[in-house]
Amino acid sequence: MFWRKTRAAIERFHPVHQGLIWQRTASVTLPPAEWDAVVASLARHAETVKRRKWRLPDRTVAVLVPLIRVLCEDVAPKGAIGITADLRGPKVPEKTGPSRKFPGRGRVRNITEWFAHDPWLAVRAELRDGSVLELTVTDRVRYRRIHKVNPRGKHKVKTKSKAVQRITARRTLQPGQEVRRPGSPPPRSVGVRIKSAKRTVISATAKLGPAPAEQDQLQWILAVATEPFRWTPPAATVRRTA
Amino acid sequence: MNPCAVTTGFFVLGRCGRPSVTVCRCGRSVCARHVDPQGQCPECAAAQAYADPFHPGWARGYRRRYYEQSSGMYNDAVWYSRFDSYDRGQFDAGDGFDVGGYDGDGFDGDDGNDWVDS
Ligand SMILES: [Zn+2]
Ligand SMILES: [Zn+2]
C-alpha cells in the first residue's frame, strides 16, 4: 500500500476537493467563506498528491479556482455560489452522440463521425447588488475516425477532433434596477438579448470556434460575463442594503 | 479620518469606506482590514501575486487587467473608466460606499457598526 499515506491525506481534503479527485465532478452551492475553504484545500493538492492518476482535472486550477475567486468578490457573506462542474472531459459515454459512417474515396476506406456534447460548467451566483449571475460553458466536439489503406495495403486509423464552445452569461436584475444601453455594441462573437420584465434579464451568448485554449478559457468566460454588467450604470450596482 | 478607499467587488464595484488606519504608497487610504503587513492596499499587494489564483488577493490584482482586456474587446472606453475612476477614488456614486462584499474574514454585512457614510 505504497499510496496509503496519500490516500489518507486526500481524505482530509475538503469534500468538494475530494469529489474533483475521485469523480472529477462537483455540484454544490456554498457561501463564499466555504468556497474559500475549498480553494485552500485545492491549494494543498500539488504538494500532497504526486500520483498522476489522482491529479486534479486541468480546468480546476485554470478555470474553477480563479472563477471562484472572482465571484467571491461580488457575493455578500450570506450569498451563495452554486457550481456544477463536470470535468471528466468529452469522451465519457453519456456525452457521446450516435455515430455515422461515410464511404471514403481513394485510399480512405471510410470515415466515422460522431459528436460529443459536453456541458462542463454551470454557475449561479447571488451578487451583492441583488442581481443573479448564471454562467454556462458547453463544448461540442466533432470526432472523425478516418480509416485509410496505404499503397502497401496497410490499414491505418486516425481520429481527428474539432471543438467549438458556447458560453452563456445571464444576469437577472433586481426589480427596479436601472438599465442603460451601453455606448458600444458587443463584439461580433457575443450576442445579447434583453428581456424586460419585473426583473430584467440580460443574456449574452458567445459561440467560439475553435474552443479557446486552456490558458485563454477564463478570460473568455469573463469576457462574455462582461456584457450583462455593461447594461447597468455603476451607481445602481452599489447598494447600501444587502 | 479618511474612509478606506479600497475598491471592492469585481463586476459589482463598491468602495470599502471603513475608517482608514494608514495611507498606501499609491496614495489610497486603507483600513485595518485591508492593509497588508507591509502597509500596502490589496491591489498593490496583489500586483505581486498576479499569476497564482490560489493567492487570496489574486482577483483584486487581476481585476485591472480584466477591465483593460474587456474594454478593449468591447471597444468600450467607458467600461474601463468606470473601473479606473472608481479605483482612483474620483467616482462619486452618491452613496458609493459598500455594504461589504465578501472580505474573506467572516465579516457579516448586516453588522453596520463599522460603516461610515461619507
Ligand atoms: Zn477597507
Ligand atoms: Zn496601494
Side-chain angles (χ1 to χ4, degrees):
Chain A
M1 281 294 280
F2 182 61
W3 299 106
R4 197 175 54 204
K5 271 174 120 174
T6 303
R7 194 179 267 278
I10 290 175
E11 276 160 15
R12 288 191 297 274
F13 285 156
H14 192 285
V16 174
H17 181 179
Q18 292 187 40
L20 285 165
I21 298 170
W22 305 128
Q23 284 89 42
R24 310 181 84 69
T25 58
S27 186
V28 63
T29 297
L30 299 169
E34 195 61 28
W35 281 115
D36 259 7
V38 174
V39 171
S41 179
L42 291 167
R44 299 201 306 273
H45 189 95
E47 65 184 33
T48 313
V49 182
K50 303 296 181 194
R51 194 180 191 184
R52 247 190 88 73
K53 195 179 159 190
W54 295 340
R55 75 191 188 281
L56 288 169
D58 292 338
R59 283 166 167 164
T60 311
V61 178
V63 179
L64 232 46
V65 170
L67 193 59
I68 291 167
R69 288 283 193 225
V70 163
L71 295 171
C72 282
E73 294 288 318
D74 281 341
V75 172
K78 285 179 178 167
I81 302 169
I83 296 182
T84 299
D86 180 342
L87 306 182
R88 294 175 298 165
K91 288 183 179 170
V92 293
E94 308 94 286
K95 297 179 184 176
T96 305
S99 64
R100 289 193 300 170
K101 205 168 194 169
F102 301 99
R105 263 199 290 159
R107 285 179 190 147
V108 176
R109 275 285 171 87
N110 56 57
I111 297 171
T112 310
E113 182 182 81
W114 70 97
F115 289 88
H117 177 77
D118 185 11
W120 57 270
L121 184 66
V123 174
R124 184 182 187 278
E126 298 164 1
L127 308 187
R128 60 195 180 136
D129 68 344
S131 66
V132 173
L133 177 68
E134 290 161 285
L135 304 170
T136 69
V137 187
T138 305
D139 286 351
R140 184 174 155 89
V141 189
R142 186 190 72 191
Y143 291 94
R144 278 186 176 165
R145 192 169 58 216
I146 300 155
H147 182 173
K148 269 186 184 175
V149 184
N150 76 8
R152 281 161 288 134
K154 217 173 153 196
H155 290 248
K156 282 192 172 169
V157 176
K158 195 157 102 180
T159 304
K160 288 182 175 177
S161 66
K162 191 174 153 186
V164 295
Q165 186 173 82
R166 183 186 160 94
I167 303 174
T168 68
R170 186 167 74 173
R171 183 170 172 226
T172 305
L173 302 184
Q174 260 203 336
Q177 196 166 347
E178 194 186 341
V179 178
R180 193 195 291 162
R181 178 176 289 276
S184 64
R188 278 198 316 154
S189 50
V190 179
V192 60
R193 254 183 41 217
I194 314 296
K195 204 180 101 199
S196 297
K198 185 159 164 275
R199 286 169 159 264
T200 301
V201 180
I202 308 160
S203 310
T205 304
K207 283 177 194 155
L208 308 172
E214 201 75 35
Q215 71 269 19
D216 300 327
Q217 183 67 74
L218 175 76
Q219 202 188 319
W220 270 107
I221 295 171
L222 296 181
V224 179
T226 298
E227 177 63 5
F229 290 95
R230 295 199 312 144
W231 285 75
T232 49
T237 64
V238 181
R239 293 282 166 94
R240 280 204 61 83
T241 49
Chain B
M1 186 58 75
N2 285 329
C4 174
V6 164
T7 305
T8 58
F10 194 90
F11 295 113
V12 181
L13 298 174
R15 200 170 301 133
C16 170
R18 294 182 183 93
S20 62
V21 294
T22 187
V23 176
C24 177
R25 60 187 162 83
C26 68
R28 210 185 303 247
S29 300
V30 193
C31 73
R33 263 177 228 272
H34 280 131
V35 71
D36 85 339
Q38 281 76 47
Q40 301 179 103
C41 75
E43 194 161 1
C44 290
Q48 299 155 1
Y50 244 31
D52 181 12
F54 285 116
H55 188 287
W58 174 83
R60 283 181 188 167
Y62 180 71
R63 192 174 50 191
R64 181 169 290 275
R65 195 166 55 146
Y66 155 75
Y67 275 91
E68 284 167 4
Q69 284 169 341
S70 53
S71 64
M73 181 181 166
Y74 279 82
N75 196 17
D76 185 352
V78 176
W79 176 247
Y80 179 73
S81 69
R82 174 193 290 201
F83 166 73
D84 191 51
S85 54
Y86 218 124
D87 205 43
R88 288 178 195 281
Q90 295 154 351
F91 187 78
D92 181 16
D95 66 347
F97 288 124
D98 236 358
V99 277
Y102 177 63
D103 279 329
D105 55 7
F107 175 75
D108 184 342
D110 290 340
D111 167 12
N113 296 338
D114 46 1
W115 299 106
V116 291
D117 272 305
S118 58

